[in-house]
């Protein structure tokens, strides 16, 4: 692709003569290895020497074999490994001045003046103190005769960049910390398993999850599994919570619910600062209700297992950004931490973040009222509940996507909480015109959060041919607002309903679309419900496929992914799985590039690399098919490696939704229903409706939540290939190539600007206009 002249590319940033060390400190977190891998490979790529520091700060203090130079191959096959392969330890000695003096001496001996620290707020605070003391430490080493004056002058400045590895998501300034998403995967896997046995015996389960000072894991896992109650340290329950909780559990059982799930963060407290333990909750339920109640403490299982696709991608991006930050730093540059803001990797002053964390109440992206709504009918709205009993219909359109059911459940329960009568439309627009419409009650969506596919049923049928019949159904059921959950067909469908407003006044009602498709190809939205689950399916499958070649001769796997003409799944899945090449429609390729990739992989195979991975988007090229690429690699790789091919197919659409998609679907649908309620209120005047034409697409663009009119998105859409004309994830492709050892250009025009925590806030924007 052509590169604009006004862009700044990292070729101008040289790491020649620099030494970078990477360490992991404090508690381990899944994804740390992906961050280490990215730091090592990006550091070597720009010409720097990169060192492992084993066992965290303890290894830095002890020195010796704990500090070793890293090679490109030394980080192979670690992307999918949980924990941290270079070790982590809590070091009391480093907290002393003498300990830091030893650490400084060991770094100087290796010429290391650039330090990349992956850990929590304590580890990063220690790194900043080390940096501030660096000059005095060197002066003391010179005084003791341990280093020369020349060495002190040559290594006069220590540069620090941090990455937050913590499953608790308890650090300010970043949307997510490395390891959090994977920990949620472990929790949800356990909860889903427990729910089946709990239903069999009509049991109540009380689960304790990690989070001594931060209730993020408890809150989001409660949201993702539809828990009955959640207790977190940030929101001590009101006095009398015990009675309210028991009333809620009893009411659910009376409604024929066969199980109850209560999630407790390990640091949960009441208004008197008294700990709320799982045993206390269990005894309370048994004593008050007599329910068969069991306690499960997940413990360190939450830290274990392979990292999720999200954590691999997050850690890889942060690792590359950390190296770029070290290359650009000067003696006057403050220590920074690499954070995630929307879809952008940003740099924030380390101590600004740490100081905000000290309160132990970091600002969260997710409003706490969402899970409250998910477990009770008491809805703390920002406006008064509507009294007019409006009718709101919800339907799924297009191919099924994991998380659709979570979105429907959230929409139905939020709508009922706000006084609406909710209607479910089966089988998309086809069911709409056929009259497959029925009222849906609160209990009807119980247990939907963790189920894959579309329980409402979904079809690709568009409404244009059936406008009259659909208008008739709207009149029959007196539908006052419409929520459409789906992919590109949903986008086209509501555009057709918009076009029909001139002839059918029935369509002059609030309508909103929530993007849900594994292809992630809906214009106006950076992310769609279902894409994360598909990415995890691809990543897990690639891990298993690569493992199948373990101990055999060298082998290359050619994998075909879904996505239509959109290369999101192939590109981002390739980054998460450590692919050597990814072929997509958005970046045209020819036989010369294919041949170059084969030669590149052949050279890698002649060293210590045993397995290769190549991903191809299903519609990347009409002639260079998966079979063609497989045959080309097989022929050209003879004598060096053999090939296997796999077409993943619809397994990418199936399975239970990931925690991210459950959470995302629940939140986005709740926001959509709030928007509908607001528009219904605004349109209701003196006992009647006075509608303006309102029809929008709801999406999350970068770090701004947008309600965008469909008409404004037409110019941004390639309707022939059913993709947006501009896609944010394309900027990740050079990163994937760099980590696969290709020479390429990486745009750093968005990097290098140190932001402030106070500016790093999620915004909401209602850009709706009269259409």
């Amino acid at each position: 692709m052509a590169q604009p002249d006004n862009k700044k590319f990292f070729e101008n940033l040289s790491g020649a003569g620099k030494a970078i060390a990477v360490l992991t400190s404090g508690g381990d977190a899944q994804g740390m290895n992906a961050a280490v891998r990215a730091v090592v490979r990006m550091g070597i790529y720009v010409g720097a020497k990169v060192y492992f520091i084993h066992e965290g700060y303890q290894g830095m203090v002890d020195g010796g074999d704990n500090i070793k130079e890293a090679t490109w191959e030394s980080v192979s096959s670690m992307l999918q490994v949980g924990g941290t392969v270079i070790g982590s330890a809590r070091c009391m000695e480093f907290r002393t001045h003498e300990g830091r003096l030893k650490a400084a001496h060991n770094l100087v001996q290796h010429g290391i003046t650039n330090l990349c620290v992956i850990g929590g707020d304590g580890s990063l605070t220690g790194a900043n103190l080390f940096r501030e003391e660096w000059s005095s430490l060197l002066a003391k080493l010179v005084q003791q005769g341990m280093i020369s004056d020349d060495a002190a002058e040559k290594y006069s400045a220590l540069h620090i960049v941090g990455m937050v590895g913590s499953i608790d998501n308890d650090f300010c300034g970043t949307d997510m910390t490395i390891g959090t998403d994977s920990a949620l995967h472990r929790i949800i896997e356990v909860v889903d398993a427990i729910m089946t046995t709990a239903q069999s015996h009509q049991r109540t389960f009380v689960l304790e999850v990690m989070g001594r000072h931060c209730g993020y894991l408890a809150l989001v896992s409660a949201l993702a599994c539809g828990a009955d109650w959640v207790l977190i340290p940030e929101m001590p329950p009101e006095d009398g919570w015990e009675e309210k909780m028991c009333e809620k559990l009893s009411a659910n059982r009376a409604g024929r619910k066969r199980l109850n799930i209560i999630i407790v963060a390990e640091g949960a407290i009441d208004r008197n600062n008294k700990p709320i333990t799982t045993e206390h909750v269990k005894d309370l339920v048994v004593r008050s209700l007599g329910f068969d109640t069991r306690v499960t403490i997940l413990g360190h299982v939450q830290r274990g297992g392979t990292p999720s696709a999200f954590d691999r991608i997050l850690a890889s991006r942060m690792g590359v950004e950390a190296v770029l930050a070290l290359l650009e730093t000067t003696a006057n540059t403050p220590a920074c931490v690499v954070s995630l803001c929307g879809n952008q990797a940003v740099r924030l002053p380390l101590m600004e973040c740490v100081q905000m964390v000290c309160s132990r109440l970091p600002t969260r992206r997710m409003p706490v009222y969402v899970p409250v709504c998910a477990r009770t009918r008491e809805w703390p709205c920002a406006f008064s509940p509507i009294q007019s009993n409006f009718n709101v219909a919800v339907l799924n359109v297009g191919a099924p996507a994991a998380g659709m059911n979570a979105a429907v459940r959230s929409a139905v329960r939020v709508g009922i909480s706000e006084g609406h009568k909710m209607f479910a439309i089966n089988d998309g627009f086809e069911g709409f015109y056929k009259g497959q419409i029925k009222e849906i009650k609160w209990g009807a969506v119980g247990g939907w959060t963790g189920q894959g596919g579309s329980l409402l049923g979904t079809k690709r049928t568009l409404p244009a041919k059936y406008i009259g019949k659909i208008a008739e159904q709207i009149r029959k059921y007196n539908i006052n607002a419409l929520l459409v959950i789906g992919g590109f067909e949903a986008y086209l469908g509501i555009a057709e309903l918009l076009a029909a407003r001139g002839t059918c006044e029935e369509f002059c009602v609030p309508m909103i679309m929530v993007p849900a498709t594994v292809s992630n190809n809906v214009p106006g939205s950076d992310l769609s419900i279902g894409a994360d689950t598909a990415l995890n399916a691809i990543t897990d499958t690639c891990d298993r496929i690569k493992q199948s070649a373990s101990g055999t001769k060298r082998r290359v796997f050619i994998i075909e992914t879904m996505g239509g003409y959109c290369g999101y799944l192939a590109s981002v899945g390739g980054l998460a799985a450590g692919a050597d090449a990814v072929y997509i429609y958005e970046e045209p390729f020819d036989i010369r590039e294919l041949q170059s990739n084969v030669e590149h992989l052949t050279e890698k195979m002649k060293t210590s690399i045993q397995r290769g991975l190549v991903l191809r988007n299903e519609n990347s090229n009409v002639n260079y098919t998966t079979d063609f690429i497989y045959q080309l690699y097989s022929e050209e790789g003879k004598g060096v490696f053999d090939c296997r091919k796999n077409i993943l197919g619809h397994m990418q659409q199936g399975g239970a939704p990931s925690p991210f998609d459950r959470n995302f679907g629940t939140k986005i649908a709740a926001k959509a229903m709030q928007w509908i309620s607001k528009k219904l209120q605004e349109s209701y005047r003196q006992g009647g409706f006075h509608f303006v034409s309102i029809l929008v697409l709801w999406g999350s663009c970068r770090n701004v939540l947008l309600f965008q009119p469909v008409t404004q998105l037409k110019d941004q859409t390639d309707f022939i290939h059913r993709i947006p004309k501009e896609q944010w994830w394309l900027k990740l492709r050079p990163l994937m190539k760099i980590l696969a050892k290709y020479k390429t250009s990486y745009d750093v025009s968005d990097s290098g600007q140190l932001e402030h925590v106070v500016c790093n806030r999620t915004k909401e924007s209602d850009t709706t206009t009269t259409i």
Side-chain angles (χ1 to χ4, degrees), residues 494-567:
I494 60 171
E496 291 179 359
L497 297 182
L498 168 63
R501 281 179 167 173
T503 56
C504 298
E505 64 178 8
E506 289 83 358
F507 297 115
C508 293
V509 297
M511 288 186 277
I512 188 169
M513 174 196 164
V514 168
T517 168
V518 300
S519 300
N520 197 32
N521 63 335
V522 178
S525 179
D526 283 359
L527 192 63
S528 299
I529 297 168
D532 183 74
T533 303
L535 278 178
N536 278 284
I538 293 169
T539 305
D540 291 345
T541 304
C542 287
D543 286 350
R544 296 183 184 188
I545 287 173
K546 288 195 295 183
Q547 190 180 48
S548 71
S550 179
T552 66
K553 59 184 179 180
R554 295 180 176 90
R555 182 167 290 167
V556 173
F557 295 94
I558 314 296
I559 310 294
E560 180 181 294
T561 68
M562 296 179 74
Y565 287 96
C566 181

Side-chain angles (χ1 to χ4, degrees), residues 145-216:
M146 299 181 72
I147 65 172
S148 65
D149 289 329
D150 290 341
E153 183 177 353
K154 184 178 180 180
Y155 306 120
S156 59
L158 178 67
H159 307 298
I160 300 288
V161 172
M163 288 181 279
V164 187
S166 168
I167 68 168
D168 292 336
N169 201 27
D170 57 354
F171 195 82
C172 276
T174 185
D175 291 0
M176 290 284 277
T177 58
I178 297 170
T180 302
D181 187 69
S182 300
L184 285 171
H185 274 258
R186 301 294 92 77
I187 294 170
I188 295 306
E189 287 167 5
V190 172
V191 173
D192 285 351
I194 280 176
M195 289 177 75
T196 56
T197 183
Q199 286 177 328
S200 300
H201 299 279
Q202 296 193 60
R203 283 178 176 154
T204 296
F205 271 87
V206 184
L207 278 76
E208 180 183 290
V209 301
M210 285 186 169
R212 187 176 297 108
H213 303 289
C214 178
Y216 184 87

